[in-house]
Amino acid sequence: MTAELVRGQNHTLPQTRLEIRVSAGAPVVAGATLGDEHGTVHGVEWIAHPGSPQLPGLEVSRQAAAEHRLAVDLDALPEAVHRVTVLLALPLEAGGPTRFGTVASPFVAVTGLDGTEIATFTLTGLDSESAVAALELYRRQGAWKVRAVGQGYAGGLAAMLADQGVAGAAELARSIQEAVARGLARSVTPPPPRTPEGGRVRHAGGPGAPQSAGRPHAAPQPEPLNEPSSPSSVPTTPVAPAPPSAGGPIDYAHPRRESTAPPPPPPAAPPAQPGRPATPVAGDATGWSMDERLYNQVWGMFEDLARATAAYRSAVDFAESRMDQELERTLSDPRSRIGGAGDRAREQARAKRDELTGRAREALDRDLAQLAAESAVVEPALPAAYAGWDNPVWHAYRVPMEIPMALRIGDLHLPESSGMSIPLLVRLPLERGMWIDSGRTASEAAALTDTDQLRRLAMESAVLHAARMLAVYPPNEFSVHVIDPAGSAATALAPLVAAGVLASPPASGPGGVSSVLAHLTRRVDLVQMAIRAGAADSLPPDLDPAEQLLIVNDFPHGFDDRAVTQLRYLADEGPAVGVHLMMVADREDASAYGPVLDPLWRSLLRVTPVADDHLADPWVGHAWTYEPPATPPGSRVLEQVLERVAAARRTGQR
């Protein structure tokens, strides 16, 4: 039975390998400190945080997120450790909440590895605090217990660390927040939640159905104000995840749909054969339209794959740790170091390790097979905005009359699932700009590509992204500007120039750079003033009301200090008023500016022109390999789509 703790209450822990699951109403930073018998933290090496996420027996998330899973192995902690304190703090991001009183109360659950809840604690009563010690695991007379703490700190992370006796608490807090900012910059923004516990769930389909990709049971979160739910649609009993030791099917029924009125029913799935998973169906997720259901289904597949892989990696780490501990115990006896006893112990430990990892791989393979089957029916059903350039939907392309809810900007996959990729969909209008990194990264693909080719591929990627945006917006509702100071991108830009879909010819030279930046800066200023004054209908007649995209090539060449300031202004203020930035640049080229440009790079979603594992998911923080978009070799699909876009722009109709 789960112990529902209140502040100050404790509960005995029945096992030593645990997960601590955190659910909050906004992204939070999760960390943990190790303390001695007096609770003293003996330096930064006793603190796990996003900048240093692993300690013996403890691992925390590498980034801020609304949900966290912290892995704890109490037996693997150093002997001097008697206390583990779980810390939560709000990240210092622009526009984010600054105190816990403005977000939903965080919920913390201590669970076993099978997802069974041991103790839970809801941190109520927080107000001006921006950091809180949520709970602590402590050792008393040889037994481990959990205590609900809920101690908040208005002084933030620095005050909380100082209270635990950490020297240089302010400097450490600053470095943690910097690590969080770097993590947020590389994290893919998740879609807004559709239901209190998520619209896509994985249920126990029989004995041993995998918990791996299922969502942890979390405290119900408040409904979005614009999406009130029907009381009858909310299940009264949460579905508990089953142990991860064996596989099971994905239930595609999604019973947690809720809405103000019944949405259009999704396609009915054929009944499953006994003992077999249900047949997947495209659009089998919550949503008011097929496009919205497909969008939510793709993001559900993304989360399922992230969590399935996390469970597999956790099982492999456990098997390795168990083997090391068994070998250490065996070889600590001098008598076992000679003769055949030591060899037999090693063989037995390795055999047990191989058995555990094999079972984990079998469970992962079952999950991957189910997700691959779902992908096989979802991919052909995607609309043009979500589809790859090789999808036949482009051959029947027509310029749309409405803006889609999302846009595909590439694909993602993990090493354990190289044959299974997930479309990377971002919401429209864009909430942040893009940075196509033309520099040499640590990836194998970048190492095999010379510098000039990387720059050319980066600009070609920018053209594909821009062409897709032009193709999915209604006629004349999206304008593209290009700054190419030295004219080096003429070949890559040829499809856009030849089709006549640019707002103006690519700007070159210092004069061209200055002119385009001044034009877009003026637009941002005027729209902001009109919105603040409540006079949106009084904008000048020469102001283009369409969404604007500025592609910048070869930054910072051709940019003076004023132009750099204007560019930063557009990156910060532009998205809110329909001006978006797409940088094609090598950060090393702008190294002379030092940290002045750090906020610019962090504000943009970084993608690459070749495969690179730099993006993180918002649930467990895996490093995903990003594959940029590409047209099929020899295909004219790009030119054909742009011709239709240009024709629609000329006539103002489809």
Side-chain angles (χ1 to χ4, degrees):
M1 180 180 294
T2 303
E4 297 182 1
L5 305 180
V6 297
R7 188 174 280 106
Q9 189 177 2
N10 60 36
H11 182 73
T12 301
L13 295 172
Q15 58 200 82
T16 57
R17 295 202 75 242
L18 308 164
E19 276 192 346
I20 299 174
R21 301 181 179 183
V22 177
S23 179
V28 296
V29 182
T33 60
L34 305 180
D36 60 17
E37 63 271 20
H38 304 295
T40 304
V41 179
H42 292 275
V44 295
E45 65 276 7
W46 280 37
I47 304 174
H49 56 81
S52 178
Q54 290 183 320
L55 294 177
L58 178 64
E59 183 173 4
V60 304
S61 303
R62 290 171 168 79
Q63 62 193 53
E67 292 185 5
H68 292 273
R69 290 189 181 189
L70 284 64
V72 181
D73 186 350
L74 298 173
D75 288 337
L77 295 173
E79 285 294 327
V81 173
H82 288 254
R83 186 176 302 176
V84 179
T85 304
V86 176
L87 315 176
L88 304 178
L90 293 171
L92 300 179
E93 57 176 326
T98 58
R99 58 190 184 92
F100 275 108
T102 61
V103 300
S105 298
F107 173 83
V108 185
V110 180
T111 76
L113 296 184
D114 61 356
T116 302
E117 289 182 347
I118 300 169
T120 64
F121 176 41
T122 301
L123 286 78
T124 58
L126 298 176
D127 186 12
S128 61
E129 299 89 345
S130 60
V132 60
L135 55 78
E136 63 182 14
L137 314 179
Y138 65 98
R139 182 160 47 189
R140 181 69 52 82
Q141 297 177 348
W144 282 94
K145 298 183 178 183
V146 56
R147 177 187 290 121
V149 180
Q151 175 64 53
Y153 295 84
L157 191 57
M160 182 165 55
L161 294 173
D163 191 44
Q164 297 193 34
V166 178
E171 291 78 6
L172 177 59
R174 186 162 48 251
S175 68
I176 292 174
Q177 292 288 4
E178 289 174 354
V180 170
R182 291 193 296 270
L184 287 172
R186 62 188 286 266
S187 175
V188 179
T189 304
R194 293 289 306 176
T195 68
E197 300 182 28
R200 174 187 177 86
V201 290
R202 187 184 290 256
H203 298 288
Q211 183 268 339
S212 56
R215 299 194 178 197
H217 168 51
Q221 298 299 316
E223 292 291 318
L225 293 178
N226 59 340
E227 295 178 4
S229 65
S230 170
S232 62
S233 66
V234 183
T236 57
T237 303
V239 179
S245 57
I250 297 176
D251 182 352
Y252 293 94
H254 303 292
R256 299 185 186 180
R257 290 191 183 90
E258 52 184 342
S259 56
T260 54
Q273 297 293 327
R276 294 188 178 183
T279 302
V281 173
D284 190 16
T286 188
W288 289 91
S289 65
M290 176 58 84
D291 285 3
E292 185 177 4
R293 292 199 295 267
L294 286 168
Y295 171 81
N296 289 333
Q297 188 171 13
V298 167
W299 269 89
M301 293 165 58
F302 188 8
E303 181 175 4
D304 280 353
L305 183 54
R307 295 198 186 281
T309 305
Y312 169 72
R313 292 180 180 179
S314 178
V316 171
D317 290 344
F318 169 67
E320 294 286 349
S321 175
R322 178 171 178 169
M323 182 187 70
D324 293 341
Q325 291 176 13
E326 290 179 353
L327 289 176
E328 184 178 356
R329 284 196 298 268
T330 300
L331 299 179
S332 62
D333 184 357
R335 291 172 296 180
S336 64
R337 299 176 189 171
I338 58 176
D343 294 336
R344 286 193 297 274
R346 292 185 185 92
E347 291 175 2
Q348 291 173 356
R350 293 189 181 111
K352 186 63 175 177
R353 185 268 316 269
D354 294 342
E355 178 188 357
L356 292 174
T357 56
R359 284 162 51 189
R361 185 70 218 193
E362 289 175 3
L364 176 65
D365 288 342
R366 281 191 290 271
D367 285 346
L368 292 179
Q370 294 160 12
L371 287 170
E374 188 173 11
S375 177
V377 298
V378 169
E379 191 74 41
L382 295 177
Y386 305 172
W389 286 105
D390 57 349
N391 193 308
V393 71
W394 288 107
H395 296 289
Y397 165 77
R398 297 183 68 185
V399 178
M401 295 300 292
E402 294 182 350
I403 301 173
M405 69 179 299
L407 183 83
R408 186 173 185 158
I409 62 170
D411 293 84
L412 298 172
H413 65 81
L414 292 169
E416 293 87 350
S417 56
S418 57
M420 171 71 192
S421 62
I422 301 292
L424 177 54
L425 304 181
V426 296
R427 292 293 291 265
L428 290 177
L430 295 174
E431 298 175 352
R432 60 195 293 199
M434 295 175 63
W435 164 30
I436 303 176
D437 190 351
S438 60
R440 187 171 300 281
T441 64
S443 71
E444 180 180 355
L448 298 175
T449 309
D450 63 48
T451 301
D452 292 340
Q453 188 177 8
L454 279 174
R455 294 180 186 273
R456 177 180 58 79
L457 291 174
M459 199 60 206
E460 290 176 356
S461 292
V463 169
L464 286 177
H465 289 305
R468 182 183 289 265
M469 293 180 196
L470 285 164
V472 303
Y473 271 79
N476 299 314
E477 291 193 19
F478 194 84
S479 297
V480 178
H481 307 262
V482 178
I483 290 178
D484 185 22
S488 59
T491 302
L493 290 169
L496 298 178
V497 174
V501 293
L502 293 178
S504 58
S508 60
V513 172
S514 176
S515 175
V516 172
L517 291 176
H519 169 73
L520 293 177
T521 301
R522 171 180 175 269
R523 184 189 187 281
V524 172
D525 290 340
L526 290 175
V527 174
Q528 283 185 335
M529 287 189 292
I531 292 174
R532 285 195 293 265
D537 56 349
S538 63
L539 290 168
D542 64 334
L543 187 138
D544 183 2
E547 296 273 318
Q548 309 286 313
L549 174 69
L550 173 60
I551 302 175
V552 178
N553 184 44
D554 267 353
F555 177 80
H557 303 300
F559 283 74
D560 56 21
D561 290 344
R562 175 180 172 80
V564 170
T565 301
Q566 289 176 314
L567 198 66
R568 288 185 55 187
Y569 176 72
L570 292 178
D572 292 338
E573 304 294 334
V577 292
V579 177
H580 311 286
L581 189 60
M582 184 180 293
M583 300 277 291
V584 181
D586 179 358
R587 189 169 182 173
E588 288 299 316
D589 291 344
S591 58
Y593 287 93
V596 172
L597 290 181
D598 285 352
L600 172 64
W601 304 119
R602 286 199 297 264
S603 69
L604 305 173
L605 175 62
R606 174 176 172 255
V607 296
T608 51
V610 295
D612 190 84
D613 58 351
H614 65 283
L615 288 177
D617 66 78
W619 303 286
V620 292
H622 292 317
W624 292 72
T625 298
Y626 168 79
E627 294 280 355
T631 56
S635 171
R636 294 196 70 254
V637 62
L638 177 63
E639 290 78 7
Q640 292 169 356
V641 168
L642 289 176
E643 287 172 4
R644 295 178 189 177
V645 170
R649 290 165 69 92
R650 286 192 297 268
T651 61
Q653 60 185 12
R654 290 196 300 168

